Amino acid sequence: MALKIVHYNDPALRKKGVKITAFNAALRKLADDMIDAMHAAEGIGLAAQQIGQPVQLCVIDLRPVEAKFAWEYDGTRPPLELFMPLVLVNPEVIAVPEPTTTYEEGCLSFPQIHGDVVRPDEVTVKFKDATGHAHALRCNGLLARCVQHEVDHLNGVLYIDRMSKEVLALIDPELKALKKRTREAARKP
Ligand code: ZN
């Protein structure tokens, strides 16, 4: 059955993910199902919180996006096709604080709501894949942004938490309407 993506302000989005210790078939099935859900929703990233499961797992696929960014995967530069969709288990992000960039982000848990977020342009993320092997990915641009956005989700942090007051004021009516829709949907049997 297809996974359902939860919307703001579902409480699952605020839960810090538990570290994954079992690298088994169930984990690989969950990662595959999350990749399917991300593709079906035409997203470029999805975190386990967004399907109501607070664990340290997120998926990313930037192959459909025409954006310039650089990467180094385990010290080499393989084509994107070789390591995407990316499955990040227990990821740890080390950001290079400067320079930062501003980009209008979206989120599958906030349909149609976009707003500027400032983030460091370059990160290194250390993580395990679904079979438990350790990797390091150094990247910048949209890929670095996507990694930071998804890993934030794993800690219960949302992109709205990183927006300025001015940006939040702009999208406030949409956020309130979404919150209301989510609350009403939760009441239905
Ligand atoms: Zn998101």
Side-chain angles (χ1 to χ4, degrees):
M1 204 185 95
L3 296 174
K4 196 176 163 284
I5 295 174
V6 303
H7 292 163
Y8 178 74
N9 196 20
D10 189 300
L13 293 173
R14 289 301 187 182
K15 289 193 180 135
K16 191 174 157 56
V18 181
K19 245 189 170 176
I20 287 170
T21 51
F23 293 85
N24 53 20
L27 175 66
R28 288 187 283 282
K29 166 94 168 65
L30 177 60
D32 284 346
D33 288 349
M34 281 174 59
I35 288 167
D36 288 346
M38 169 178 68
H39 285 156
E42 296 183 359
I44 56 173
L46 185 68
Q49 274 73 1
Q50 294 178 277
I51 49 134
Q53 298 204 32
V55 292
Q56 293 285 323
L57 167 67
C58 61
V59 297
I60 289 174
D61 192 352
L62 256 61
R63 288 174 301 171
V65 180
E66 281 185 43
K68 271 195 186 156
F69 53 85
W71 65 89
E72 197 177 281
Y73 185 84
D74 294 339
T76 66
R77 289 163 199 267
L80 281 188
E81 284 70 25
L82 285 189
F83 66 98
M84 288 204 181
L86 253 178
V87 175
L88 307 179
V89 181
N90 304 334
E92 281 175 44
V93 170
I94 306 129
V96 181
E98 295 285 336
T100 58
T101 56
T102 305
Y103 184 85
E104 197 182 52
E105 290 187 18
C107 178
L108 291 177
S109 295
F110 294 76
Q112 321 295 337
I113 302 179
H114 299 89
D116 281 349
V117 181
V118 180
R119 297 188 191 267
D121 186 54
E122 184 181 321
V123 300
T124 295
V125 57
K126 294 183 174 173
F127 61 97
K128 286 191 171 157
D129 63 27
T131 60
H133 290 99
H135 301 277
L137 172 68
R138 198 178 133 203
C139 57
N140 66 12
L142 188 60
L143 179 51
R145 182 166 288 273
C146 192
V147 165
Q148 293 175 82
H149 178 116
E150 298 314 325
V151 174
D152 269 355
H153 271 302
L154 303 185
N155 294 304
V157 176
L158 300 170
Y159 72 155
I160 51 171
D161 304 340
R162 300 202 182 272
M163 288 177 186
S164 68
K165 275 185 193 147
E166 292 74 22
V167 173
L168 279 176
L170 285 175
I171 62 170
D172 190 57
E174 295 169 86
L175 283 179
K176 283 194 175 126
L178 175 60
K179 228 179 185 173
K180 192 166 168 248
R181 284 203 304 278
T182 303
R183 204 167 44 226
E184 283 167 1
R187 275 201 213 109
K188 280 181 195 144

